[in-house]
């Protein structure tokens, strides 16, 4: 079977044969399709793809998604198996290094990460400068950006040792900064990291330890949080990962690029959705209000947050895992009437023609908020936890992009539809 695509330009009858590689054609191949081949000002055709609906921006070996079949794999391992058998730290190693670690490699990795959980005292002072009700996502993105001023050597991004240090520092410090943002908002003293606890357990310790000499997280909560981190660790070329890659393509230090990725994640259509889902449920309040809410969604006045996905058009496998886990976690924590509202929204969403015809299913953010809430984590921290876990994926994708010889500084084209050239008119002569 020929791996080519034949294109006829009906403007001039010319035919072109474009190679197909890995199921893709190169957009630059359209440059040769000119109306007049001799005109140096004719730059040929460009591909117009707002929101990158059908444009691959990179080759990657990290995460595979089949949205129609609801498949998500990290480095070939199904998300269901990782959620059942792995830990977040092991999964982070897998994403960054490409394979699961041996026992020796894992011990070193754990040690390297926990070695970097502390932050400079000036980072704490920096956080202390935020207003008490500052959104923790704003604190996280500013503080991660500020880390670049603490590690000036990190600019040397083509030195493998500098990259390794940055990756370890970011994965190690993210829970610390997240917890500091929360403690600051409460006016509580900051807690030190505890190297004897797991990654998730240490985060809970830094969040919630009060006067007890040693904080011991409930094992069910600790495991559930770790699984949530696994589920959020990577998701191929989503908005924030694409930001990490495109900002990284101009070769700044990784702290600056990660701050940009956090900003991209913050929006309610992406990682901010988990927070907005809970706020939406609070607004709906009771089961009686559900029909009016659904009517308003169907009238196009608002969105059912936590539903829909650009890639998953069958179901989001992460949501399925969370839903199963939610029953377990919620059985040992306080229940909330909002869960009934969520279940009713889900029931309607899975049956109603509006949602079915548009292939809108619950996504990862629909139930994750309940889990976080049941763990006592305040709603504004939900996107922070998404960012904390996604840092593993951002690091893997950033490194892959830097080392890809085909990558250059990202620079999309545009279709200019503005005014044609005109002369400047002095203000006194303008109509
Ligand atoms: N509620 C109601 N209608 C929706 C929703 C929704 N949540 N999502 C999409 N639609 C409708 C949309 O109005 C459009 O209808 P029509 O064809 O009549 O104009 C159709 O479905 C297609 O929507 P789209 O906006 O073209 O889809 P998209 O692929 O650009 O958007 C999305 C994907 C996730 C941004 C969107 O589904 C959405 O806004 N969902 C709610 C926010 C959310 O839960 N985000 C978390 C995503 S998962 C976590 C992550 O990875 O970030």
């Amino acid at each position: 079977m020929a791996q080519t695509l034949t294109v006829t330009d009906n403007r001039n009858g010319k035919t072109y044969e474009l190679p197909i590689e890995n199921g893709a054609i190169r957009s630059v191949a359209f440059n040769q399709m000119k109306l007049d081949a001799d005109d140096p000002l004719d730059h040929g055709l460009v591909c117009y793809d707002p929101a990158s609906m059908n444009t691959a921006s990179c080759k990657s070996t990290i995460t595979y998604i089949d949205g129609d079949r609801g498949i998500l794999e990290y480095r070939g391992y199904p998300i269901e198996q990782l959620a059942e058998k792995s830990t977040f730290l092991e999964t982070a190693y897998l994403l960054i290094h490409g394979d699961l670690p041996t026992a020796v490699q894992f011990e070193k990795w754990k040690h390297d990460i926990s070695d970097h959980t502390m932050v400079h005292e000036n980072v704490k002072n920096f956080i202390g400068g935020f207003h008490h009700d500052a959104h923790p996502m704003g604190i996280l993105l500013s503080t991660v950006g500020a880390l670049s001023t603490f590690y000036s050597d990190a600019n040397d991004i083509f030195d493998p040792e500098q990259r390794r240090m940055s990756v370890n520092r970011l994965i190690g410090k993210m829970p610390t900064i997240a917890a500091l943002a929360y403690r600051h908002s409460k006016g509580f003293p900051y807690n030190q990291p505890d190297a004897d606890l797991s990654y998730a357990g240490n985060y809970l310790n830094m969040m919630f330890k009060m006067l007890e000499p040693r904080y011991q997280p409930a094992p069910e909560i600790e495991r559930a949080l770790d699984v949530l981190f696994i589920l959020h660790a990577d998701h191929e070329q989503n908005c924030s990962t694409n930001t990490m890659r495109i900002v990284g393509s101009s070769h700044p230090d990784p702290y600056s690029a990660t701050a940009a990725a956090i900003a991209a994640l913050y929006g309610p259509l992406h990682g901010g959705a988990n927070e907005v889902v809970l706020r939406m449920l609070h607004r709906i309040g009771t089961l009686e209000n559900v029909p009016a809410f659904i009517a308003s969604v169907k009238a196009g006045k608002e969105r059912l947050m936590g539903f829909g996905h650009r890639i998953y058009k069958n179901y989001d496998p992460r949501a399925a895992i969370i839903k199963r886990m939610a029953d377990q976690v919620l059985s040992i924590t306080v229940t909330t009437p909002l869960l009934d509202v969520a279940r009713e929204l889900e029931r309607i969403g899975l049956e109603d023609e509006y949602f079915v015809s548009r292939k809108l299913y619950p996504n990862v953010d629909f139930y994750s908020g309940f889990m976080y809430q049941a763990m006592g984590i305040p709603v504004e921290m939900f996107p922070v936890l998404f960012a904390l876990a996604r840092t593993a994926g951002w690091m893997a994708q950033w490194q892959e992009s830097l080392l890809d010889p085909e990558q250059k500084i990202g620079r999309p084209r545009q279709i200019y539809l503005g005014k044609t050239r005109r002369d400047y008119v002095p203000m006194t002569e303008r109509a």
Side-chain angles (χ1 to χ4, degrees):
M1 189 174 40
Q3 289 296 311
T4 59
L5 175 76
T6 303
V7 178
T8 303
D9 187 342
N10 292 320
R11 297 173 303 173
N12 54 19
K14 279 196 175 169
T15 296
Y16 304 85
E17 194 160 332
L18 312 182
I20 298 175
E21 187 197 344
N22 301 311
I25 48 160
R26 289 187 182 254
S27 299
V28 286
F30 287 85
N31 285 171
Q32 60 185 306
M33 298 176 196
K34 302 178 178 185
L35 207 50
D36 177 0
D38 298 327
D39 179 357
L41 296 180
D42 185 344
H43 300 297
L45 292 177
V46 292
C47 297
Y48 178 56
D49 186 12
S52 303
M53 298 282 286
N54 192 35
T55 298
S57 61
C58 61
K59 293 175 181 166
S60 182
T61 61
I62 301 170
T63 291
Y64 173 75
I65 299 178
D66 181 333
D68 291 326
R69 292 193 290 158
I71 292 173
L72 168 61
E73 295 168 358
Y74 297 159
R75 303 282 191 188
Y77 293 100
I79 192 67
E80 292 79 7
Q81 290 185 25
L82 293 169
E84 191 191 332
K85 298 179 179 153
S86 185
T87 60
F88 173 72
L89 264 194
E90 186 186 52
T91 298
Y93 183 100
L94 170 70
L95 286 167
I96 287 158
H97 296 276
D99 281 306
L100 287 169
T102 62
V104 174
Q105 288 168 330
F106 188 57
E107 275 316 301
K108 177 164 181 351
W109 172 244
K110 255 195 337 196
H111 175 267
D112 286 351
I113 298 298
S114 77
D115 227 25
H116 288 288
T117 47
M118 294 181 79
V119 292
H120 194 287
E121 287 300 305
N122 284 349
V123 170
K124 295 181 189 167
N125 297 339
F126 180 81
I127 291 177
F130 285 97
H131 202 49
H132 69 92
D133 59 357
H135 196 289
M137 200 63 170
I139 297 182
L140 184 78
L141 87 83
S142 323
T143 309
V144 168
L147 286 183
S148 75
T149 65
F150 288 80
Y151 305 110
S152 51
D153 289 351
N155 281 324
D156 198 357
I157 53 174
F158 289 104
D159 175 353
E161 182 53 19
Q162 283 304 332
R163 279 203 310 277
R164 194 185 69 83
M165 289 292 283
S166 296
V167 168
N168 294 353
R169 278 196 201 113
L170 272 159
I171 295 177
K173 292 187 196 319
M174 213 49 128
T176 313
I177 297 170
L180 288 177
Y182 167 72
R183 302 285 294 195
H184 172 73
S185 72
K186 291 278 170 203
F188 292 154
Y190 301 151
N191 286 324
Q192 291 296 331
D194 183 340
D196 288 336
L197 292 173
S198 71
Y199 191 82
N202 175 45
Y203 169 71
L204 291 167
N205 154 65
M206 290 187 290
M207 282 285 286
F208 297 127
K209 181 173 178 296
M210 295 307 274
L211 290 174
E212 64 274 42
R214 185 95 203 280
Y215 178 88
Q216 209 51 59
E220 299 88 346
I221 303 284
E222 183 182 5
R223 175 63 191 157
L225 186 59
D226 206 51
V227 173
L228 285 168
F229 288 167
I230 293 173
L231 299 181
H232 286 89
D234 195 48
H235 213 235
E236 54 119 302
Q237 305 314 313
N238 54 82
C239 179
S240 57
T241 302
N242 185 49
T243 304
M244 185 79 205
R245 280 181 176 258
I246 197 138
V247 174
S249 79
S250 75
H251 297 172
D253 67 88
Y255 305 101
S256 302
T258 304
I262 296 171
L265 190 80
Y266 196 174
L269 299 187
H270 190 11
N274 50 16
E275 177 179 353
V276 185
V277 167
L278 246 270
R279 296 199 191 284
M280 171 191 78
L281 292 171
H282 272 290
R283 191 159 48 86
I284 299 171
T286 59
L287 284 175
E288 302 84 74
N289 297 333
V290 169
F293 174 77
I294 291 287
S296 138
V297 170
K298 287 163 69 170
K301 292 187 187 146
E302 56 191 314
R303 289 200 161 192
L304 173 50
M305 301 307 282
F307 261 65
H309 199 275
R310 170 66 58 79
I311 303 291
Y312 294 122
K313 299 298 177 194
N314 177 334
Y315 68 93
D316 181 338
R318 303 167 299 174
I321 295 169
I322 294 181
K323 203 178 162 208
R324 280 198 297 277
M325 207 168 56
D327 295 334
Q328 214 181 327
V329 170
L330 295 172
S331 68
I332 60 154
T333 55
V334 282
T335 54
T336 152
L338 293 184
L339 195 53
D340 294 333
V341 174
R343 290 194 171 124
E344 179 61 2
L345 288 172
E346 184 187 17
R347 187 193 65 73
I348 296 172
L350 295 177
E351 287 174 5
D352 190 290
E353 194 277 333
Y354 175 93
F355 299 95
V356 174
S357 64
R358 289 171 177 76
K359 299 189 173 176
L360 301 172
Y361 294 87
N363 60 48
V364 68
D365 288 324
F366 194 66
Y367 279 110
S368 63
F370 280 107
M371 304 277 293
Y372 293 139
Q373 202 183 39
M375 294 169 189
I377 292 167
V379 67
E380 39 317 328
M381 288 297 287
F382 297 177
V384 170
L385 293 186
F386 197 153
L388 182 162
R390 186 56 58 85
T391 300
W394 290 333
M395 293 299 101
Q397 302 266 355
W398 168 69
Q399 293 215 79
E400 185 180 70
S401 176
L402 276 186
L403 302 179
D404 180 346
E406 283 199 296
Q407 290 294 341
K408 289 166 175 261
I409 186 166
R411 205 315 182 177
R413 301 293 299 272
Q414 67 164 9
I415 297 172
Y416 179 71
L417 297 176
K419 303 272 191 227
T420 49
R421 187 194 163 96
R422 49 185 174 159
D423 290 325
Y424 182 84
V425 180
M427 202 178 278
T428 50
E429 291 171 27
R430 287 176 215 159

